[in-house]
Amino acid sequence: MAKYLLLKHYRGAPAPVNDVPMDRWTPEEVAAHVQYMVDFAARLEGSGEFVDSQGLSPEGAFVRYGGEGRPPVVDGPFAETKDLIAGWMVIDVESRERAYELAAELSAAPGAGGRPIHEWLEVRPFLAVHSTVFD
Amino acid sequence: MNEALLRELVPAVIGVLVRRGAGFAAAEDAVQDALVEAVRADWAEPPRDLKGWLITVAWRKFLDAARAETSRRDRELRAEGEPAPGPAESSDDTLRLYFLCAHPSLTPASAVALTLRAVGGLTTRQIARAYLVPEPTMAQRISRAKRAVAGVRFTRPGDVATVLRVLYLVFNEGYSGDVDLAAEAIRLTRRLAAMTRHEEVAGLLALMLLHHARRPARTTPDGRLVPLAEQDRGRWDTRLIAEGVDVLQAALARDRLGEFQAQAAIAALHADAPTAAETDWVQIVEWYDELVRLTGNPVARLNRAVAVGEAEGARAGLAALAELDPGLPRHTAAAAYLHERAGDPATAARLYAEAARTALSLPERDHLTRQAARLNARPRE
């Protein structure tokens, strides 16, 4: 088994097919979208492939070390051009093909008009914590 | 309560319940429940017949569950009352469980999880933590696996190779959570080897013992990988090596070679060398030839190319490597190593950096990055 991160973007991913911003959907369409996500996670738990799912606030800042005895340097809020992550799901699956299959399924979440968004999800493999013996 | 002692008893107790008419899935659940009760019991003095106690409690748990499930009324009637004396339980029960849990209808991950629970006696929580997934996810993986083998007859042993693959997967998972999976894999393989005379079971056991013997030297306390040639051989576990070599020699004497025996033979040759420079690379290459002949495995071919580099010189190793698919895992790392040995540090540094980008684990990525950094920091001539 291998773990993969399915990354959702507010900004920075290529434009989806059904590209209507969420605040232009009807409340029912928003509810249907959220329900799809919940059901998807529940189904993955049932198949023994679910690890974690989290959403992120679009608010945030860049922070770095300011030097000995100095406060952290804060730069933000993020510029409009920044790649902006909306949330993720972590899955534990048999193969990369399976990870892609699940990403595609998640990307089919309904949007405006109840049609699939075809949203682009970034799929990233985790590095294993252990190294297998190869000496 | 001695948890290790309890866990030893799990497969035999499952076997007894199945013999008394419980289905495998229900028997396995009942034994887990009994196990939890035993751990909670906190006896001043544990029952003298611990196995008898576990059987009694597990059987009661099974009856309770069967009663609770009204849709299973038929089975309940049959299971009611004192069990028929029946045949005494035998060590074959445990052996059959190995095969059932590694059944070819299961995905590797399901087989691993089911083996650890039903044969290893680990709890779902322990298995979940070892594989870094939430407990409900692991619970589902296990119950799906149990459903998948629900129709399999408990009496028929299958191909031992499927069991060995599962145990090997567990061994390679290493150590995370509160369970040392490598040690657990050795325990389960040792037990399997005591029940069957199959040469490859012995071969796998020997391989595990020989690799495990080097574990203390394989990483620094802060987690850095130490390549074989640089390991402090004084930290290798000589007792495990001696046992591994004994097991391997007994298997090889029966003259039915298989891939695990061949891999163990290579590990034994490394273990046998007092220093890296004294390694018998010519013999190691011969064993890799056997391994390639037995499996055709591309990873074996890659390792063979590195061994050729040691036995016949780096140029010969690079020539052997050139015949292989460059997309193989660790191909670039092997090329980097051989280029350095061939006296081309600039190419080696570039390849090490490239290999780091495609590494599959954190320790490996960091190791390869350090190799690139070491070569890039060398004085320019």
Side-chain angles (χ1 to χ4, degrees), chain B residues 326-366:
Chain B
L328 277 173
R330 293 173 177 151
H331 187 284
T332 311
Y337 176 76
L338 289 168
H339 274 289
E340 184 182 359
R341 302 276 294 187
D344 184 356
T347 304
R350 182 177 55 74
L351 289 171
Y352 270 128
E354 190 184 321
R357 281 193 294 277
T358 53
L360 298 174
S361 78
L362 277 171
E364 235 175 287
R365 185 195 65 183
D366 296 347

Side-chain angles (χ1 to χ4, degrees), chain B residues 8-265:
Chain B
E8 286 284 333
L9 298 169
V10 164
V13 177
I14 293 174
V16 170
L17 264 63
V18 169
R19 276 161 179 272
R20 287 183 179 180
F24 164 67
E28 204 276 332
D29 278 336
V31 176
Q32 273 276 328
D33 289 346
L35 207 58
V36 170
E37 195 167 311
V39 170
R40 281 208 199 110
D42 199 23
W43 292 296
E45 201 176 313
R48 204 171 311 141
D49 179 10
L50 192 55
K51 188 168 170 185
W53 183 92
L54 263 184
I55 291 171
T56 306
V57 174
W59 184 250
R60 199 181 68 227
K61 301 268 182 200
F62 164 70
L63 289 182
D64 289 349
R67 280 194 199 97
E69 205 162 325
T70 50
S71 63
R72 289 197 184 165
R73 190 162 296 147
D74 288 351
R75 177 182 293 174
E76 182 191 339
L77 286 174
R78 265 191 284 125
E80 198 66 69
E82 278 304 297
E89 45 98 9
S90 78
S91 69
D92 288 353
D93 289 337
T94 302
L95 188 56
R96 288 191 200 101
L97 264 188
Y98 276 89
F99 284 100
L100 184 68
C101 295
H103 196 268
S105 64
L106 297 172
T107 62
S110 308
V112 161
L114 192 56
T115 299
L116 287 173
R117 216 176 96 133
V119 186
L122 292 174
T123 64
T124 303
R125 176 194 294 261
Q126 287 173 316
I127 304 168
R129 288 176 59 160
Y131 285 91
L132 307 173
V133 301
E135 194 176 339
T137 295
M138 189 52 79
Q140 288 292 343
R141 214 177 269 178
I142 291 167
S143 57
R144 281 167 73 92
K146 283 161 77 171
R147 280 201 297 279
V149 297
V152 175
R153 286 192 46 212
F154 190 63
T155 49
R156 210 175 330 141
D159 179 3
V160 78
T162 61
V163 177
L164 297 184
R165 265 196 296 277
V166 169
L167 295 174
Y168 190 57
L169 275 178
V170 174
F171 180 75
N172 274 327
E173 200 57 42
Y175 190 4
S176 51
D178 53 355
V179 178
D180 183 343
L181 288 174
E184 182 65 10
I186 289 175
R187 184 177 79 82
L188 297 181
T189 307
R190 209 190 274 284
R191 204 159 176 203
L192 182 63
M195 291 184 292
T196 149
R197 271 181 53 83
H198 197 286
E199 296 75 21
E200 277 293 88
V201 177
L204 178 60
L205 178 59
L207 175 65
M208 287 177 175
L209 292 169
L210 290 163
H211 275 184
H212 204 57
R214 296 207 294 264
R215 190 164 78 166
R218 195 175 288 127
T219 47
T220 61
D222 59 0
R224 293 184 188 197
L225 287 185
V226 183
L228 182 55
E230 293 162 30
Q231 286 174 16
D232 173 1
R233 294 177 183 229
R235 301 188 64 209
W236 289 358
D237 186 328
T238 49
R239 196 184 52 82
L240 285 181
I241 289 173
E243 188 191 350
V245 168
D246 281 351
V247 171
L248 174 65
Q249 278 174 344
L252 289 175
R254 301 211 290 273
D255 206 19
R256 290 166 62 105
L257 191 61
E259 57 173 307
F260 288 122
Q261 292 170 78
Q263 283 191 65

Side-chain angles (χ1 to χ4, degrees), chain B residues 250-319:
Chain B
L252 289 175
R254 301 211 290 273
D255 206 19
R256 290 166 62 105
L257 191 61
E259 57 173 307
F260 288 122
Q261 292 170 78
Q263 283 191 65
I266 292 163
L269 283 166
H270 284 305
D272 197 37
T275 64
E278 291 167 84
T279 307
D280 187 346
W281 286 105
V282 173
Q283 247 205 91
I284 288 177
V285 171
E286 285 168 12
W287 277 110
Y288 272 122
D289 287 338
E290 286 287 355
L291 194 57
V292 167
R293 187 181 59 76
L294 286 163
T295 64
N297 185 329
V299 175
R301 288 179 203 277
L302 185 74
N303 290 337
R304 182 188 168 277
V306 176
V308 167
E310 302 289 354
E312 299 168 30
R315 297 273 161 219
L318 283 167

